[in-house]
Amino acid sequence: MELNLRKGDKVWVEDRDLAWVAGDVLDSLGNKVHVETSTGKQVFVSSEKLFRRDPDEEEHNGVDDMTKLTYLHEAGVLYNLQRRYALNDIYTYTGSILIAVNPFKKLPHLYNGYMMEQYRGAPFGELSPHVFAVAEVAYRAMIDDSRSQSILVSGESGAGKTETTKLIMQYLTYVGGRAADDNRSVEQQVLESNPLLEAFGNAKTVRNDNSSRFGKFVEIQFDANGRISGAAIRTYLLERSRVVRITDPERNYHCFYQLCASGSDAEKYKLSNPHQFHYLNQSKTYDLEGVSNAEEYKNTRRAMDIVGISNDEQEGIFRTLAAILHLGNVEFSSGKEHDSSVVKDHESRNHLQMAADLFRCDANLLLASLCTRSILTREGTIIKALDCNAAVTSRDALAKTVYARLFDWLVDKINKSVGQDPNSHFQIGVLDIYGFECFKSNSFEQFCINFANEKLQLHFNEHVFRMEQDEYRKEEINWSFIEFIDNQDVVDLIEKKPIGVIALLDEACMFPRSTHESFSMKLFHNFKIHPRLEKTKFSETDFTLSHYAGKVTYQTETFLDKNRDYTIVEHCNLLSSSRCPFVAGLFASTPEESARSSYKFSSVSSRFKQQLQALMETLSKTEPHYVRCVKPNTRNRPQNFENLSVLHQLRCGGVLEAVRISLAGYPTRRSYSDFVDRFGLLAPEFMDESNDEQALTEKILRKLGLGNYQLGRTKVFLRAGQIGILDFRRTEVLDASAKLIQRRLRTFVAHQNFIAARACAISIQAYCRGCLSRNAYAARRNAAAAVLVQKHARRWLSRCAYVKLVSATLVIQSCIRADSARLKFAHQKEYRAASLIQARWRMHKFRTAFRHRQSSIIAIQCCWRQKLAKREFRKLRQAANEAGSLRLAKTKLEKRLEDLEWRLQLEKRLRTSGEEAKSGEITKLQKTLESFSLKLDAARLATINESNKNAVLQKQLDISMKEKAAAERELNGMVELQKDNTSLKNSMNFLEKKNLALEKELLSAKTNCNNTLQKLKEADNRCSDLQTSVQSLEEKLSHLENENHVLRQKTLSISPERLGRVLGESPQQKHSSAVVPAQIDRTSVFETPTPSKRIMPFSHSHSESRRSKFTAEKNVEIHELLSRCIKENLGFSDDKPLAACVIYKCLLHWHAFESESTSIFNIIIEGINEALKGGDENSVLPYWLSNSSALLCLLQRNLRTNSFLNASAQRSGRAAYAVKSPFKINGPDDGVPHIEARYPAMLFKQHLTACVEKIYGLIRDNLKKELSSLLGLCIQAPKASRGTAGKSSRSPNGVGVPQQFPSSQWENILKFLDSLMSRLRENHVPSFFIRKIVTQVFSFINLSLFNSLLLRRECCTFSNGEYVKSGITELEKWISRVTEEFSGTSWHELSFIRQAVGFLVIHQKRKKSLDEISKDLCPALTIRQIYRISTLYWDDKYGTQSVSSEVVSQMRILVDKDSSQKLTSNSFLLDDDMSIPFSAEDMDKAIPVLDPSEIEPPKFVSEYICAQSLVKKPSSASVSKQIL
């Protein structure tokens, strides 16, 4: 294609290493163009070898659909895939074809359940490209069109075909929804069979370590309702020749190597290292990197168990594999006769014997079947010996036949395990088949594989062309003249009869003496002028075919041998008679014998052709969908994109062929809005005339003189090259505009320079005038300064004379004043000295008199004190004789000790009686108390002993006193008194010391007693704590016992229907569980019937029947009352739900909570469920949320669980004085009476809790459904009209105010929220529930908007960010308007979308670092989410760029690191919270207390006898409280 290029144009240049590189045109010289490439090279290239490059594509991160490329060619396709792959966007559309690039790493965030939910029901192309989107299109087309579908997954080895197939089946199972009978989905069963099929059908090739050597077509079968009903696996084109012949570095099938590494199983079959077997040692590659054959063997055995293969069948499978390996080691040598063969050596004979043992057949017969052939003639059977080569061929034929039948048996077994549905209405088939192959050496296998890909490519081309036609037909444009070229000639060359490559090959194989040379000569003779077949230059037998993906040269040396596939009758007869049932089952159907030979010739290529034809017929009955898998590099490394390899795969996968077909028609398609946005500047005079974009597009094209374009309904279709002309004209306009801007800028700069020069001249003139003025001013200032100096000089001289005179006068005056002051001071000094002497003398006289008087006073005081001391001494002596004070102290001490002992004994009795069953710690404390009491007893005894000693001393003192008295009479006066006084003082001191010692002991005893009391208090506190903990444990145990009892009764209980059927003869037993009013004997109604009560005396049968009849009538009345309360909307009284209060008062009045068996609670629950099903959900659900929550709170606050242990003790007749149960549950001490609830009441409370949660969940789910449709319109800004769009502000600095479009969608959201609040408040739903509902609604808004933002690239734009931000501002106003009481944390729930939108609308993103973005702008977002937004963002308003490439690289490293760490969730999407955000306890705490006694029942309640007391008696509420 000839391009009109000029300097500065962006082009693609072909490169030997990189396929295509970007370049800029430096100059155009005729047909040669001077281009500078991005690698820095400058080359001269012909213009025909260049492709135009979109100058704006570097600002974007690629397009998700390559039909949107401005220039659709292979360079643009390759570059677009490379850009998206670098951003981990591995999926890209080409129309309806999906291209999947293997990332070679885990991307779990792309395949979780939430992602499948996002693509479920989404139109194709609305969300980002994904394999789920293709599966969704196939499923919806099957449902809508009632036609089976097929998904063709192709690509070379290692491109990810198998994984893509798994994902497709996973999604189909998700939307199909039916599980298998054994609780395993069909997808799981199919995937569980993959390890088995991979072990027996996959092998290592040159490019892939796990290449599928067969084609797999998985049919997912559906019923008429679109539910999965079964599945089937069809296999095609197994490479049988690989069993006997491989090349280095390839391997045989994995199962052989796994069996050799199986350990004990390998020894059982006499297997060892793979290099010892001929079928495995033809290649030196025995192990795969990172794969353990032993572990894979275990996985294969596990897969066999899952599929349902029995142990005997597994034994037969591996026995057969081992026999094949041993059979390959049997070698032959020439026999004694001509053209005969025998076993070569002893080792070969051992292998033959081992193979026969494993096949469970006779070794001699096996040898005979290998070395001879039977020919049937009219005269009889002729046995013909085979030479060595024929024997080897026979051996290999047997090995291939056995392995092929084993593989077919496995596939049939898997299909039986999965479960096929022969009555299925539709199918979705997933084809996983090997891709186009082109190696250095290409043999018969590559020929067959490429032939299959040619057929599939022909089908693909027809589909692509049909899609093009559908697109043109949909847009209502003329397309009849489009010429379509396909690869039908290549397909005819290969398969057409009677002269085709396959036909000639079969003909050559029919003749025993044919060689590959003769086959090649015949091939070249018949197709010497065919343009698709060529003869190679350096070989006489090789030929080259021009496939759709390129030329491939085939070596024909082994074509004939590999095409011959003999089915030998002797082999089949021998193995069908095997003693091993499994081997005999493989050859159950013996082929018919030939009339002349035991050989059954079968052409591999013909059978291949037939299977391929059957596959194409299957595909032609379905609507195809295509997934092209691409392997980005040959080293299987992530983030490595090899351009040449990918380009080759794009050619082999037919992607570039689809591009060629598109180029043949109208390759460039633009919506009218996009076309006008890009090329409207070419005709600005039309922009303000009309808002019709189609008319504007036509006017623009007419003005430019372009023809041969087509205007569709929504798009404009341009021929190849026309978009280049438009871009060229657009570039000219932009260049002219740039020149105009430059000219105006230069004018502006010159004008600014002139203004600056003029301003400088004015400044210089002003400065000169200023200098002259300053000089004149200086002269005048000097003259004025001289006059001033003279004036100041004269004043200074006069002042100096005056100051001198004043100073002399002051000196004279100071001398005179000093003389007079000195005289006055001397006089005052003499007067002060005289006064001081007089004062000292008077002080001496007074001090002498004071000392004399003081000594006299002291002498008098001493005498008086001596007299008082003598009196005190006599008193002390008398007190010592009596010892009264000491006894008083002892008495007080004993009383206190006795008091302590009494208290200790009392504490011991209290602790002993209450704590016998408690822990050993209290026992230790009691022992400590006893030890302290013993110490106190010892202290008391010591005190008594001391008192006794004091008594003895007192007696001795009395005796000594008498003796001293006698001595006093004998002695004289003062000497005897002094001696007596001395002895008394000594005894007094001794007694005082003793007293002090006793006081110290008393203090120590008090201290010990205080310590003991303190420890007792601590023990008491610990005992109280233990009691509290034991009480809590008792409560928990009681709850567990209650639940256990509830479950036990629930298990053993019989439903009322079954009880009625068992005892249906007696009407009194039929209604034994009914509820009657309180006036009737409750014991006969609510108690659980016992056998003694069921056997009634005959005399009372008549009265009992009347009672049961009355009971039945009352039951009907109760049922009617409750049904009416539930079905009718009773409304609210003083903001309190009337229905809940009436039902609770009725239950309380009928003592239903205390009954052991009643059906009234079932009536209430069933009635509520029925009420929820009918009526308007918008009014019914809030009404019953208010009523059921109020009734649940009343039950939660007033019911108490009954102690089942006490109840059982009472039923068993235990005495009243039995041991008190520690599991008795007492209600909270809050002054509210509690009801001892029985099992039905507690079960009713659980059912009511579930009912409240169900109603809340229904309200939440309904709100989400209504919001989903509204939010789908709020995520993307509507298109503005052309007239206003052209006049909007375009300031990238944000100075201009962005235009505010009418936000009718956000107004709908606000109206929806207002209606929600009005409905909830009209039904008086507690603010607790409103807060929870509003919070979850805003959480869903945040989730939906944020996930849509990350899934749709058109939403990550600057203008769309402004639009969503304005809507969030409206939501913020609404939240502030409804107050925090009802909104709760709703504003915080929008944190993700707020930060994401804030990031979209900021300017200068390239200047932001990763820390600023992650910590300041988007702290709530993960690095993966920021990375996703950054790569999807594009500025559709100002043309600014996203974050810098350095920040993107840093984020990519962090994302890859997170993926390698295998975190629990690597998804960038938010998960929906489906949990119930409250419990019954939360409701009890949050909802205000409700008093049902204040509620007046409705009037119709008085119509029922069973509830008249609720209306007649005004004090019924107080009576019920007393009963409670």
Side-chain angles (χ1 to χ4, degrees), residues 510-678:
M510 295 294 292
F511 297 99
R513 298 187 179 277
S514 294
T515 62
H516 66 282
E517 291 90 352
S518 61
F519 164 69
S520 300
M521 290 176 61
K522 187 177 292 187
L523 193 66
F524 296 141
H525 175 72
N526 287 280
F527 300 109
K528 57 184 177 181
I529 60 173
H530 200 285
R532 294 279 191 168
L533 189 141
E534 300 176 5
K535 183 179 180 181
T536 57
K537 296 180 180 180
F538 303 102
S539 176
E540 295 293 332
T541 59
D542 297 349
F543 67 94
T544 301
L545 282 180
S546 298
H547 292 284
Y548 71 93
K551 294 183 178 181
V552 180
T553 300
Y554 298 100
Q555 287 74 35
T556 61
E557 284 81 359
T558 59
F559 263 52
L560 272 66
D561 294 336
K562 293 182 177 180
N563 188 50
R564 292 190 181 104
D565 186 18
Y566 294 102
T567 301
I568 302 173
V569 176
E570 285 84 352
H571 295 166
C572 297
N573 293 335
L574 175 66
L575 296 182
S576 63
S577 61
S578 170
R579 297 186 302 275
C580 178
F582 179 80
V583 176
L586 295 179
F587 292 86
S589 58
T590 306
E592 298 180 359
E593 296 183 355
S594 173
R596 298 190 55 83
S597 175
S598 61
Y599 279 93
K600 280 293 184 180
F601 171 73
S602 175
S603 171
V604 174
S605 58
S606 296
R607 187 171 63 250
F608 189 94
K609 174 183 173 183
Q610 293 173 1
Q611 292 182 351
L612 188 59
Q613 186 62 33
L615 175 62
M616 299 308 298
E617 290 176 358
T618 303
L619 294 178
S620 62
K621 297 177 182 177
T622 63
E623 180 69 23
H625 306 270
Y626 292 92
V627 179
R628 294 297 190 235
C629 298
V630 176
K631 185 178 180 180
N633 59 81
T634 57
R635 294 177 295 173
N636 299 346
R637 296 288 186 269
Q639 295 298 327
N640 186 3
F641 196 88
E642 297 177 357
N643 292 357
L644 291 175
S645 175
V646 173
L647 187 60
H648 173 72
Q649 294 176 67
L650 293 176
R651 290 169 179 166
C652 295
V655 176
L656 298 183
E657 190 73 8
V659 172
R660 184 186 63 79
I661 294 174
S662 179
L663 288 173
Y666 297 96
T668 304
R669 302 145 194 199
R670 289 286 182 274
S671 63
Y672 291 122
S673 59
D674 293 340
F675 185 87
V676 173
D677 285 340
R678 183 172 180 84

Side-chain angles (χ1 to χ4, degrees), residues 1233-1287:
H1234 292 268
I1235 306 170
E1236 288 284 350
R1238 302 289 181 176
Y1239 161 69
M1242 301 310 299
L1243 188 61
F1244 171 64
K1245 190 173 77 170
Q1246 295 178 5
H1247 289 169
L1248 193 59
T1249 304
C1251 188
V1252 172
E1253 294 177 353
K1254 174 186 175 182
I1255 296 171
Y1256 178 86
L1258 289 174
I1259 293 175
R1260 179 194 59 195
D1261 296 340
N1262 291 339
L1263 293 177
K1264 288 183 179 180
K1265 289 179 183 178
E1266 295 180 29
L1267 266 177
S1268 298
S1269 58
L1270 298 177
L1271 292 174
L1273 302 174
C1274 292
I1275 187 58
Q1276 191 171 6
K1279 288 286 184 179
S1281 60
R1282 288 293 155 197
T1284 57
K1287 301 175 183 179

Side-chain angles (χ1 to χ4, degrees), residues 1059-1231:
L1059 187 61
R1061 290 195 297 268
V1062 175
L1063 303 175
E1065 293 80 6
S1066 59
Q1068 67 273 16
Q1069 293 176 351
K1070 182 177 181 181
H1071 301 285
S1072 62
S1073 62
V1075 179
V1076 297
Q1079 290 83 353
I1080 303 173
D1081 185 11
R1082 295 196 309 269
T1083 59
S1084 64
V1085 180
F1086 291 105
E1087 287 185 355
T1088 304
T1090 59
S1092 61
K1093 292 180 181 179
R1094 286 176 182 170
I1095 304 173
M1096 304 298 293
F1098 180 77
S1099 60
H1100 297 285
S1101 60
H1102 186 65
S1103 61
E1104 192 64 27
S1105 63
R1106 286 186 297 175
R1107 178 183 298 178
S1108 60
K1109 182 178 180 181
F1110 180 71
T1111 303
E1113 293 175 356
K1114 294 299 180 182
N1115 288 336
V1116 173
E1117 188 178 25
I1118 289 170
H1119 188 276
E1120 291 179 356
L1121 174 60
L1122 292 176
S1123 299
R1124 190 169 180 181
C1125 290
I1126 293 173
K1127 291 180 180 179
E1128 295 184 7
N1129 190 341
L1130 303 185
F1132 300 87
S1133 176
D1134 297 332
D1135 299 341
K1136 297 176 183 178
L1138 196 56
C1141 296
V1142 171
I1143 292 173
Y1144 177 75
K1145 291 172 69 176
C1146 289
L1147 295 176
L1148 199 64
H1149 177 64
W1150 297 332
H1151 300 273
F1153 300 121
E1154 304 169 14
S1155 89
E1156 288 284 354
S1157 175
T1158 177
S1159 61
I1160 188 170
F1161 299 128
N1162 295 331
I1163 295 173
I1164 296 174
I1165 294 298
E1166 291 174 1
I1168 294 176
N1169 290 330
E1170 289 296 329
L1172 295 178
K1173 294 179 182 178
D1176 185 13
E1177 291 185 348
N1178 291 333
S1179 58
V1180 171
L1181 292 178
Y1183 171 77
W1184 275 109
L1185 179 61
S1186 179
N1187 279 276
S1188 57
S1189 61
L1191 182 57
L1192 179 60
C1193 288
L1194 289 172
L1195 298 181
Q1196 185 77 14
R1197 289 164 182 161
N1198 298 324
L1199 292 189
R1200 181 178 63 184
T1201 306
N1202 191 14
S1203 177
F1204 295 103
L1205 293 179
N1206 290 341
S1208 61
Q1210 293 171 4
R1211 286 193 297 270
S1212 61
R1214 292 182 181 176
Y1217 52 60
V1219 179
K1220 184 179 180 181
S1221 173
F1223 303 104
K1224 179 71 176 176
I1225 300 178
N1226 294 323
D1229 190 12
D1230 54 0

Side-chain angles (χ1 to χ4, degrees), residues 114-127:
Y114 184 79
M115 188 67 75
M116 288 190 285
E117 182 62 30
Q118 289 294 313
Y119 281 90
R120 184 173 187 171
F124 186 78
E126 180 178 333
L127 302 179

